[in-house]
Amino acid sequence: MLDFFTIFSKGGLVLWCFQGVSDSCTGPVNALIRSVLLQERGGNNSFTHEALTLKYKLDNQFELVFVVGFQKILTLTYVDKLIDDVHRLFRDKYRTEIQQQSALSLLNGTFDFQNDFLRLLREAEESSKIRAPTTMKKFEDSEKSKKPVRSMIETRGEKTKEKTKNSKKKGAKKEGSDGPLATSKTAPAEKSGLPVGPENGELSKEELIRRKREEFIQKHGKGLDKSSKSTKSDAPKEKGKKAPRVWELGGCANKEVLDYSTPTTNGTPEAVLSEDINLIRGTGPGGQLQDLDCSSSDDEGATQNTKPSATKGTLGGMFGMLKGLVGSKSLSREDMESVLDKMRDHLIAKNVAADIAVQLCESVANKLEGKVMGTFSTVTSTVKQALQESLVQILQPQRRVDMLRDIMDAQRRQRPYVVTFCGVNGVGKSTNLAKISFWLLENGFSVLIAACDTFRAGAVEQLRTHTRRLTALHPPEKHGGRTMVQLFEKGYGKDAAGIAMEAIAFARNQGFDVVLVDTAGRMQDNAPLMTALAKLITVNTPDLVLFVGEALVGNEAVDQLVKFNRALADHSMVQTPRLIDGIVLTKFDTIDDKVGAAISMTYITSKPIVFVGTGQTYCDLRSLNAKAVVAALMKA
Amino acid sequence: MASADTWRVGDGAGGAFQPYLDSLRQELQQRDPTLLSVAVAVLAVLLTLVFWKFIWSRKSSQRAVLFVGLCDSGKTLLFVRLLTGHYRDTQTSITDSSAAYKVNNNRGNSLTLIDLPGHESLRFQFLDRFKSSARAVVFVVDSATFQREVKDVAEFLYQVLIDSMGLKNTPSFLIACNKQDIAMAKSAKLIQQQLEKELNTLRVTRSAAPSTLDSSSTAPAQLGKKGKEFEFSQLPLKVEFLECSAKGGRGDAGTADIQDLEKWLAKIA
């Protein structure tokens, strides 16, 4: 059913890969990385590429990515669970290899994960198959009916196990006398490795309580040991405590197995159960898994122990606080919640479109969840840093924007380089077109301005005035008698696409280097005008389509760009439609530090901001500096 | 040992500043001998700090070899091949990966190889982070698709060259023309010529580009000699070219052709 499942490090090394069909998984996964993970679109964890749906999960602690791919037409309900299971097992099994900072251990480690994966996959598939026919449960099948039987069996198992436990854990128990003793009674039976009933929820709850209790005892013991050194008699008790830990962790392996069996046992007939027991027998006593689990649960204790300690005992609290300050801990979503809320509001206040701010924060949270923070770094600083990096990443152009270089290329091929300007009304298309022509003239290229705004009164006259001014600045005498700038106009009320075409033909004949096509401003919802624009672009195939947007725009930016892009795609009638290639951000001098529009626009289109208009004169044209914008954005 | 050092320093300086030192010594002896001991202690600590910093900055910060280049040029595989010699499937890198690499020369010192992501939105961020520690930069070029990507390659190379020229200790620079196993691959010689031509035009367009938003940044450094066609030999840092093939001839099992690169690494280590 699955096309592939691959596990790779964020550094790009494929650690393990399962191929369901012969196709290579590299292409789709690279597409996923480039268009989702690197674009900060990591809000939801699925992505569609051609005929495949890809789901992924990030492990930020160990810098791993888990990706599963399957045919788009299938609806596989078990995939999310499968990823989680594989993630957990892989992490626990290869903890030593993936923990190191150096990539060398990743390279030298052998990740022979095939059997484990196939087992997990089979279980997941079976569970989904079983769940499919939803028949009513009989009373005999229900958990309730099994309760008394189970408790009977448990008491028998308890006696044997409880004894060993008690003898070993005596010291610990005395110290943690206020621990939940009542719940501990049922726990050992579960650990003995006999899954008596198919009780998924209960089991994990007990498991949880047991683990918490253990942690608490450990902590309490440590706290006493370290800070007070109360009595000498504590020392042997501490020693005694080590032994049960090993024993308990031995049980942990069984717990893992029980966990894996849960999907199949969830309200299923007895037949599946026996298979499960076989399964447990197959893997339970095997030495390897146990070993690795030992280390894993040890580590879990180490990483988690800051949280519960805060509530328990003053000494433990002190210790925990110190640990929290000095030791490294991993970030959880709850930790980040408040900071992210603040960041989101901050971004919105800086004029970033609201839903983009939400998506950005979501993506940052995804990127940070589970990451181990460095010493002495607070949650706020970590989140801020990550957000800043993401913003720089967004503003970094995805394609090369060197207009002059491309014009030189066109010049060599003896054809004009065509640029089309589009945008809504009054954002400054004509003004910035004039600025760009001035910049091109300064660099020695001749420009033909095509007046394709045949709608607004005075549009042609405006361009004519600009042309006159530019001619005054660059008279033909200075360039060897060659007309550097010229206006191509056909009056009002004509078809814009036709005028543009004629202008391009004219430019080719006259040897102009660049044609700048000025279009009429149009609202993104005006369907006939949008169709006309799409036609203009399809017919003339310009080298560059620039969207002109003002920096004052807030939430509207999203709507404008999305609808312009969609109109170009919908009305183009070709396989690969021309979309917006770049953005001109105008009126940048009016917004002070509310530079959010830059983020909104690049985030939606993932196209670069080619020019920034910063004033009324011809020289007020700038290129964007990502770092400066982000600095302005993050400024409180 | 540290205090002995201080005394020696004092003696050395004594020749020139004898009268001042005498008066100082008198002053000190008049007051209190503890003051002197405190002063000596402070001096010793300072000297140790300076000494330590000197050693630290020289030793650890300049051992990195950065692998840069466009996406899909084979940086990560080259990195893997150098470290293990085996073939490994790779994906687009999201973050950097680093590992210690033992150079196979007689001195046997080690370098830190750092593989940087090549994606457009990440490359400069990571380059900024690691460039100060670079002892050498390996710019990996995909020789097979070079013709198509020449503009992008040149633009990135331009930026990397400008960046590494701005550093205090200019790193050694190598352009590795990877994927020589593919039939259509261009030779290193041809790549060098094309890059020189492309960088020449880039110099023009870069200087003509509109200034950035914060006008504080000064004009970008000039690459090569003004008024002359650009050549790599004009640069203050030595740029070398070599051909390699990280994938090797026959699929996954093929052995890589990276002996030249290994030799180069041994040379600069």
Side-chain angles (χ1 to χ4, degrees), chain A residues 10-14 30 33-34 38 103 107 389 393 396 398 400 402 405 409 439 443 622-623 625 627, chain B residues 72 80 88-95 98 119 121-122 125 128 151 198 205 208 210-214:
Chain A
K10 285 191 185 173
L13 301 169
V14 176
N30 276 349
I33 293 169
R34 285 174 200 184
L38 292 178
L107 290 171
E389 272 171 19
Q393 206 170 309
Q396 210 64 252
Q398 297 293 305
R400 202 172 46 82
D402 197 349
R405 179 76 193 81
D409 236 26
W439 173 67
N443 287 308
R622 299 272 180 278
S623 61
N625 182 343
K627 276 188 194 134
Chain B
D72 289 335
V80 173
R88 226 17 199 287
D89 282 327
T90 58
Q91 301 284 357
T92 305
S93 307
I94 304 171
T95 179
S98 61
H119 194 263
S121 55
L122 295 172
Q125 229 169 314
D128 277 351
K151 286 181 198 168
E198 200 59 41
T205 63
S211 58
T212 54
L213 272 174
D214 55 338

Side-chain angles (χ1 to χ4, degrees), chain A residues 379-399:
Chain A
V379 180
T380 318
S381 68
T382 314
V383 171
K384 219 171 189 174
Q385 170 115 35
L387 186 64
Q388 196 155 356
E389 272 171 19
S390 302
L391 291 174
V392 173
Q393 206 170 309
I394 288 170
L395 284 176
Q396 210 64 252
Q398 297 293 305
R399 82 192 261 280

